[in-house]
Amino acid sequence: MDHELTTAALDAIAFLTGAMLSAMLGHMQWRVDRATRGVSGYLLLWALGFIWTFGNFLRRALQLADVTADSAAVKFAESFAWSCTLLGPIVISRLLQGAIGTSSRASRAFFAFTVAVSLANLALMTRANLAYAYRLEDSPYPTTSFVIAVAVWLMAIAIYLRQRRSAPLPRTMPRWFAPAALSFAAIHTSTILLSMRFPELPDTLLTAANLIGRHWTIPWSILIAVSLAQAHYADVIAKRSLWLLASVTLATLFSRYALDASPGLPLLATALVTSALMLLTPALVRAIETLVDKAILSRPDYAEAGRARDEAFRRATTADQLIATAIDSVRSTLRVEARYSNLLEITTPHEARRLMQAELAFLESTRMQLAHRLDALRFEDEQRALQLREERLKRLLTEAELKALRTQVDPHFLFNTLNTIADLISSNPGQAERMTVRLAECFRYALAKHSRNLSTLDEELDFAGHYLGIEQVRFGDRLRVQLSRGDALGSEPVPSLLLQPLLENAVRHGLAPVREGGSLRVSAQREGERLRLSVEDNGVGMPHGAERSGVGGGGVGLRNVQERLRTLYGHAAEFLIGTRAGGGTAVTIVIPLHAD
């Protein structure tokens, strides 16, 4: 009697272990299926395993609690356990569809067939329950459902092999899976047939056959989970499965022999409580994780590899060095091929199956570190460039303003202007007054724009008018001026004191050497979101081959203008200087109206 109670208690412990494994695997598979928005055959398989194992655990627990076999609770537990046979054919069909696809006619027809078989099983189960007062194990239904399941499995294997001969199928399992699965199937089928056909076998052999036949979920769960192509959590399964099995086994042995627990329900309760305590033991968890990582998977120390990678990242100073560091770290640590194309990508053979939880975590950590470091480096470069650009702009603006002020107070300019005013005071007081006002306006504008980068087009043209007005008084009829803003609004932003160096060059170097003088035209033209400014004269023109475009070249004033344009607008601005049609010189500036 003690032997029977001990066997029943161990049977209950094994069934509960299988139920926990099935629930754990089902939860993980549910997370995978939720991401792919589908229901895979593996999720149904874990559900089938949980129904079978948990129902049988309830039966064994009620048996150990001395609940009679005719009670409603026992009958419910028995019916619940055997209800897994209703799901079995559909599970086989979904697994086949996962292997050959759902679009083939054979897979669709087989799925419809398995639905019909499941409905037939439901009818047979209902009939057996009614005929045998809900004592299914006393009826022919277990044998019938087993034969039906074997027949459906054989049909699925035949369809798979036929489909594989007619068209190449993607490899979804490692090479060792098929031999291992066939061996498991042969052992389990043989033990079930043995226990059904030869009930007069010795008790020890019959008990072993029953245990192997009933507890198929444990080895099958581990076998399938670690071999799934999409199961990147295979290392988690290995660790948790070994953790669970080790805890239950140690707790059972400890309760049976060390604590000398009584057979039956006391042994079951003691073993479950002890196993729960062992599941919370950090030392056991660390030992199992070390066993899986070192002995089974031969993993490197990812914590140390991460520290070495982070230190190498800190030493890198350029984007190329950061990318090279990430690639080298992934290659040396994970032993896979890696490359960078806007994202760190890897290539690994299917057979390697190395990218499990820890590998994926290291890869994702490397990707995040690389992205953060590249962003930080770009930000630092942008900040440095912005700071240099601002400093350069301030320096160039100051130089331009000082140059303009120096031009305005240039001894020759000031001396000639004051002499002209002195001569006009007696001969033409009104003209002298107007010239004095223009000189004052030039100084006022230069001083007012001392701390501003931009002025409006109208303000810049007004300054040009005052400046050229003074020169007209000096040159008289020899200087003819035309100012035009075309279709521009006048409120367009332009760099302050941008035209003054161009006007000075045109008057001093273009028109002054010509005895009869010439004309100077300043114009503006709106071109969509850009503004074109032109300064043209019909003077002596430029020496042959001296035409310039873009930036660089020219005198100090022209270089100053070009540097300011480059600093304010980058490559969005244009500066062109060349020979005017009909003779003379033409300078053209094109600036965007909305600069960064």
Side-chain angles (χ1 to χ4, degrees):
M1 184 64 180
D2 287 350
H3 174 72
E4 292 180 1
L5 291 175
T6 302
T7 302
L10 296 177
D11 209 23
I13 293 172
F15 275 124
L16 183 60
T17 303
M20 295 173 65
L21 275 175
S22 298
M24 178 180 65
L25 293 169
H27 175 69
M28 292 188 172
Q29 189 64 47
W30 172 76
R31 293 172 61 184
V32 174
D33 290 354
R34 184 179 61 176
T36 57
R37 301 180 182 275
V39 178
S40 66
Y42 299 109
L43 180 60
L44 298 177
L45 180 64
W46 308 138
L48 183 151
F50 179 79
I51 293 171
W52 168 255
T53 51
F54 190 71
N56 278 291
F57 164 72
L58 291 178
R59 288 182 57 205
R60 291 295 180 266
L62 292 171
Q63 177 186 349
L64 292 171
D66 290 331
V67 178
T68 62
D70 293 328
S71 68
V74 173
K75 291 178 179 179
F76 170 79
E78 187 175 335
S79 297
F80 179 76
W82 282 103
S83 66
C84 69
T85 57
L86 306 179
L87 192 62
I90 298 178
V91 171
I92 297 172
S93 175
R94 292 295 294 164
L95 292 174
L96 178 65
Q97 287 181 337
I100 69 175
T102 59
S103 58
S104 67
R105 172 187 257 172
S107 69
R108 293 197 301 269
F110 187 68
F111 179 76
F113 169 73
T114 54
V115 172
V117 171
S118 295
L119 294 175
N121 271 348
L122 176 61
L124 292 174
M125 182 177 174
T126 304
R127 180 181 176 184
N129 272 327
L130 295 176
Y132 288 85
Y134 292 91
R135 295 293 303 276
L136 282 180
E137 293 198 356
D138 294 336
S139 72
Y141 180 74
T143 303
T144 304
S145 63
F146 173 74
V147 173
I148 292 175
V150 172
V152 173
W153 267 116
L154 292 176
M155 291 178 63
I157 293 173
I159 294 173
Y160 175 77
L161 294 177
R162 180 181 177 183
Q163 195 77 12
R164 187 172 181 179
R165 284 195 299 270
S166 61
L169 297 174
R171 178 181 292 276
T172 58
M173 293 290 182
R175 299 182 184 276
W176 53 264
F177 176 77
L182 290 175
S183 300
F184 274 31
I187 293 172
H188 294 145
T189 304
S190 300
T191 54
I192 293 174
L193 291 174
L194 189 66
S195 61
M196 288 192 309
R197 301 295 297 173
F198 301 100
E200 68 277 1
L201 287 173
D203 290 343
T204 304
L205 184 59
L206 188 61
T207 300
N210 285 330
L211 287 174
I212 294 174
R214 289 197 298 265
H215 300 295
W216 57 269
T217 54
I218 295 176
W220 273 101
S221 296
I222 299 174
L223 173 69
I224 294 177
V226 298
S227 59
L228 290 179
Q230 73 270 27
H232 293 308
Y233 51 80
D235 57 335
V236 181
I237 294 298
K239 291 178 181 179
R240 294 185 181 179
S241 300
L242 290 176
W243 177 22
L244 176 61
L245 293 175
S247 298
V248 172
T249 301
L250 292 175
T252 303
L253 294 175
F254 184 72
S255 302
R256 182 71 182 90
Y257 298 106
L259 298 180
D260 195 19
S262 301
L265 191 59
L267 174 59
L268 173 62
T270 305
L272 293 181
V273 172
T274 308
S275 62
L277 294 175
M278 287 187 174
L279 286 173
L280 302 176
T281 304
L284 179 62
V285 176
R286 286 195 298 270
I288 292 175
E289 290 183 347
T290 301
L291 173 66
V292 173
D293 289 336
K294 299 297 183 182
I296 299 178
L297 300 177
S298 301
R299 278 176 168 163
D301 187 344
Y302 287 115
E304 181 61 31
R307 287 191 290 270
R309 174 203 61 203
D310 295 343
E311 180 60 31
F313 274 152
R314 281 191 287 271
R315 291 195 299 269
T317 57
T318 65
D320 291 340
Q321 291 177 354
L322 287 172
I323 294 172
T325 297
I327 291 176
D328 291 341
S329 177
V330 170
R331 283 177 177 172
S332 60
T333 305
L334 303 182
R335 296 194 289 275
V336 296
E337 286 300 318
R339 64 189 183 90
Y340 183 83
S341 177
N342 296 325
L343 179 69
L344 186 61
E345 300 174 349
I346 58 142
T347 303
T348 178
H350 175 80
E351 293 78 6
R353 209 180 305 280
R354 294 188 53 80
L355 296 187
M356 299 181 188
Q357 185 202 35
E359 287 76 22
L360 289 174
F362 181 83
L363 177 61
E364 187 61 26
S365 173
T366 303
R367 284 174 174 168
M368 292 180 64
Q369 289 275 13
L370 176 60
H372 291 164
R373 288 290 299 153
L374 288 175
D375 288 342
L377 191 62
R378 279 193 290 268
F379 180 75
E380 291 172 1
D381 290 342
E382 290 173 358
Q383 290 296 107
R384 190 179 302 110
L386 180 61
Q387 183 178 1
L388 292 175
R389 183 174 171 180
E390 290 177 350
E391 292 176 356
R392 187 180 185 188
L393 177 62
K394 291 178 181 179
R395 177 177 57 82
L396 291 174
L397 181 59
T398 301
E399 291 177 358
E401 292 166 349
L402 291 176
K403 171 65 176 177
L405 289 173
R406 284 196 302 270
T407 301
Q408 301 304 315
V409 297
D410 182 89
H412 297 289
F413 172 78
L414 185 58
F415 178 79
N416 293 333
T417 303
L418 293 177
N419 276 342
T420 304
I421 293 173
D423 292 338
L424 291 174
I425 289 175
S426 58
S427 61
N428 193 342
Q431 186 78 318
E433 182 180 359
R434 286 191 293 273
M435 193 170 183
T436 304
V437 171
R438 290 192 181 103
L439 181 62
E441 289 295 334
C442 289
F443 276 101
R444 184 179 297 111
Y445 181 80
L447 292 173
K449 303 305 177 185
H450 180 74
S451 59
R452 289 175 54 187
N453 294 335
L454 299 175
S455 300
T456 64
L457 176 61
D458 279 344
E459 290 175 336
E460 192 70 3
L461 291 177
D462 287 342
F463 170 80
H466 292 309
Y467 179 86
L468 294 175
I470 295 174
E471 296 291 354
Q472 278 185 307
V473 174
R474 291 179 53 215
F475 285 85
D477 294 335
R478 294 176 58 213
L479 178 61
R480 297 174 292 279
V481 175
Q482 181 182 358
L483 298 175
S484 172
R485 73 177 190 189
D487 60 351
L489 300 177
S491 58
E492 291 85 353
V494 296
S496 301
L497 302 172
L498 182 68
L499 295 176
Q500 190 276 331
L502 308 181
L503 301 176
E504 178 187 359
N505 274 3
V507 173
R508 178 176 297 181
H509 302 294
L511 298 175
V514 180
R515 180 181 298 273
E516 63 274 14
S519 60
L520 178 61
R521 184 174 185 269
V522 180
S523 62
Q525 185 70 29
R526 182 78 175 260
E527 298 178 349
E529 293 301 315
R530 306 206 308 170
L531 181 67
R532 179 182 294 271
L533 299 172
S534 299
V535 177
E536 300 174 283
D537 68 80
N538 59 354
V540 297
M542 301 181 64
H544 179 69
E547 288 84 354
R548 301 280 183 178
S549 65
V551 295
V556 175
L558 296 184
R559 285 199 301 271
N560 186 280
V561 171
Q562 294 166 3
E563 288 293 326
R564 290 185 62 197
L565 291 175
R566 178 196 295 167
T567 303
L568 283 170
Y569 306 106
H571 296 290
E574 297 179 18
F575 181 90
L576 305 172
I577 180 170
T579 301
R580 172 181 171 271
T585 304
V587 179
T588 301
I589 296 174
V590 181
I591 59 175
L593 296 179
H594 301 285
D596 291 335

